[in-house]
Amino acid sequence: MRTRVGIVGAGPAGLVLAHLLHLEGIDTVVLERRSREYVRRRTRAGVLEQSTVDLLRAAGVGARLDREGMPHHGLSLRFDRADHRIPLTDLTGRSITVYGQQEVVKDLIDAREAAGAPILFEVDDVAVHDATTDRPRITFTDADGVARTLVCDFVAGCDGFHGVTRSAFAPARSETYQRGYPFAWLGILARTPPSHHELIYAYSPRGFALHSMRSPEITRLYLQVPSDERIEDWSDDRIWDELALRLAADGFDLRSGPVLEKSITSMRSVVVEPMRHGRVLLAGDAAHIVPPTGAKGMNLAVADALVLSRALARYLSTRSTDLLDSYSDTCLRRVWRSEHFSWWMTSALHRFPDDDPFQQRLQLSQLRYTVSSVAAATSLAENYVGLPLDL
Ligand code: RFL
Ligand code: PHB
């Protein structure tokens, strides 16, 4: 098999890249380890920056997003049993949209299938070869167990944090920067209307909690738990009791309901630099991850895909390497802003095991300052709604 760009991974990064390249008339093949059903169902992120929404719309995949996405113009920081609203739109002129990542993924898979462009699901043993030649290759086993080779002009590693493409990088030529956190998030999806019309980021003496949503009928909630926590130890009743304690505020009632899904996600910050090795380029979680507190991961994946699609389109039509050469630096500027913001939100809102009362008073002071100073609130809002993309 032969293609211009071999794309490993059908998450937001791989699917947005494939779609934008298709619009440019460039052939791609997407290889995905999981089944089509699994990828379309997997619950992940839920907050789209305005630029992400604008890009999906401009690329012709925004119709359902426009109908079903929930535009939000503010969020709450909750502490001292009260809400402190950050009016995102008043402060920045921009907004966010709540729309599940798997809905974005479904829309992109539908668009690709409607265009008759290939996605191979349930592939295995993916390996990337000859990264520094002008004919990189991907070997894999297809869903029928047949060994295949895809010869490409470029390979895009969009295979997430546990992907294999990164292993084609020469270790001596790349650097990994990382930070761990001594806690994880237990997330649930529940069939119950949201208890508040906006997101609530709650700082409590018992640890962090987050109230989010997916639709007028479905609520998404998270609890900070120790890193080694086992999901079996959290019955639905225990989860609701803990959420009620951490989200407690005067005049607030938490609506509970059937729990549809629950899982625990570890938290880390990681950046791989540079994001390119020869003709293999990484995008999204394959190159960088952030803790979910800033709601940045999916938005970064989409931003990388836009920058990469332009670099590849330029090279393939003009043979000019300028945008390929600047790809990593261009993406990393946005990545590091999001890394800092996600680390900051995480540090401000979570209980750390070795925090003493002095540290907790510093956190509260920081939160009070953030909600009472227009300058500080604007800084949070600017980062939360995200940097504009050059569309
Ligand atoms: P993905 O989505 O992980 O997709 C990678 C794809 O590659 C496939 N794959 C392989 N395919 C072939 N061969 C292999 N060897 C392969 N290895 C892996 C995988 O099956 C998968 O389909 O990466 P991508 O595209 O870079 O997208 C990144 C986002 O998924 C991620 O950053 C976000 O979900 C992070 N995130 C959030 N981001 C936001 O922007 N806003 C949020 O509100 C937000 N909340 C979250 C989040 C992530 C969370 N979890 C579960 C980590 C909340 C949570 C709880
Ligand atoms: C979500 O709705 O899943 C969500 C919202 C905000 C975050 C993380 C996750 O910071």
Side-chain angles (χ1 to χ4, degrees):
M1 294 167 77
R2 178 89 185 78
T3 191
R4 288 264 174 239
V5 184
I7 300 177
V8 186
L15 290 169
V16 169
L17 177 65
H19 184 71
L20 295 175
L21 291 176
H22 174 76
L23 296 178
E24 297 282 346
I26 296 168
D27 282 349
T28 59
V29 173
V30 179
L31 302 176
E32 167 59 49
R33 186 164 54 107
R34 301 284 193 171
S35 71
R36 182 174 184 275
E37 289 62 41
Y38 182 93
V39 170
R40 292 168 72 93
R41 260 206 335 265
R42 181 168 52 191
T43 303
R44 289 268 189 100
V47 174
L48 306 187
E49 294 175 359
Q50 181 163 330
S51 297
T52 302
V53 172
D54 293 344
L55 170 63
L56 294 172
R57 240 182 231 147
V61 283
R64 197 162 66 93
L65 165 61
D66 280 334
R67 282 197 310 277
E68 296 175 19
M70 306 164 88
H72 282 220
H73 301 290
L75 60 80
S76 271
L77 296 184
R78 180 171 285 185
F79 54 92
D80 294 340
R81 293 187 66 87
D83 277 332
H84 308 270
R85 185 169 187 267
I86 306 286
L88 299 171
T89 305
D90 290 349
L91 293 170
T92 65
R94 301 164 69 76
S95 59
I96 55 157
T97 299
V98 174
Y99 188 66
Q101 175 170 324
Q102 76 269 41
E103 307 304 326
V104 174
V105 163
K106 276 188 222 163
D107 295 343
L108 288 160
I109 291 176
D110 290 347
R112 186 160 180 89
E113 289 176 346
I119 309 186
L120 278 61
F121 290 100
E122 297 178 63
V123 305
D124 211 347
D125 308 322
V126 169
V128 176
H129 314 269
D130 307 333
T132 53
T133 70
D134 59 6
R135 284 285 174 276
R137 284 179 303 123
I138 308 175
T139 53
F140 63 99
T141 310
D142 71 15
D144 300 321
V146 178
R148 320 242 325 230
T149 299
L150 180 62
V151 180
C152 313
D153 288 350
F154 290 92
V155 172
C158 302
D159 45 352
F161 184 57
H162 300 289
V164 295
T165 321
R166 209 168 46 228
S167 55
F169 276 40
R173 293 195 175 197
S174 81
E175 197 69 62
T176 302
Y177 302 91
Q178 50 189 323
R179 169 131 333 163
Y181 302 90
F183 37 73
W185 277 17
L186 188 164
I188 64 165
L189 201 62
R191 184 174 306 288
T192 183
S195 304
H196 185 69
H197 66 290
E198 292 181 337
L199 271 67
I200 304 168
Y201 287 81
Y203 174 83
S204 114
R206 303 181 65 88
F208 172 74
L210 172 61
H211 165 277
S212 179
M213 63 198 73
R214 286 293 178 273
S215 74
E217 295 83 34
I218 302 285
T219 302
R220 179 91 169 131
L221 295 148
Y222 297 96
L223 285 171
Q224 171 188 353
V225 294
S227 325
D228 54 0
E229 202 73 345
R230 288 159 11 117
I231 195 78
E232 302 80 52
D233 294 335
W234 286 84
S235 66
D236 295 359
D237 285 346
R238 181 177 176 204
I239 294 172
W240 286 117
D241 289 348
E242 191 61 31
L243 283 165
L245 289 168
R246 296 193 195 179
L247 286 164
D250 299 330
F252 175 79
D253 281 317
L254 179 66
R255 290 166 134 158
S256 59
V259 174
L260 307 174
E261 269 184 53
K262 57 181 159 183
S263 61
I264 292 184
T265 306
S266 64
M267 293 174 76
R268 259 211 275 184
S269 305
V270 181
V271 181
V272 177
E273 292 190 12
M275 291 166 58
R276 172 185 176 193
H277 177 57
R279 286 193 171 218
V280 179
L281 300 106
L282 302 179
D285 278 18
H288 41 74
I289 54 171
V290 286
T293 329
K296 290 290 158 215
M298 171 173 40
N299 295 293
L300 284 177
V302 171
D304 288 353
L306 173 68
V307 178
L308 183 51
S309 70
R310 290 199 173 139
L312 291 168
R314 162 89 129 235
Y315 177 81
L316 291 170
S317 61
T318 68
R319 302 289 139 185
S320 159
T321 63
D322 56 345
L323 296 184
L324 282 172
D325 294 340
S326 59
Y327 168 69
S328 183
D329 286 346
T330 303
C331 292
L332 286 168
R333 267 195 294 279
R334 172 182 295 268
V335 167
W336 276 109
R337 179 87 300 284
S338 294
E339 288 289 346
H340 179 268
F341 177 64
S342 305
W343 163 84
W344 181 82
M345 285 280 278
T346 303
S347 310
L349 290 162
H350 290 73
R351 276 288 154 117
F352 287 70
D354 52 359
D355 275 359
D356 58 9
F358 184 89
Q359 185 62 27
Q360 290 162 12
R361 277 164 178 73
L362 289 181
Q363 280 180 314
L364 264 179
S365 170
Q366 175 71 30
L367 288 170
R368 289 181 186 135
Y369 174 63
T370 301
V371 301
S372 57
S373 150
V374 175
T378 306
S379 172
L380 187 157
E382 265 175 11
N383 281 282
Y384 197 84
V385 302
L387 296 172
L389 276 174
D390 175 20
L391 290 179

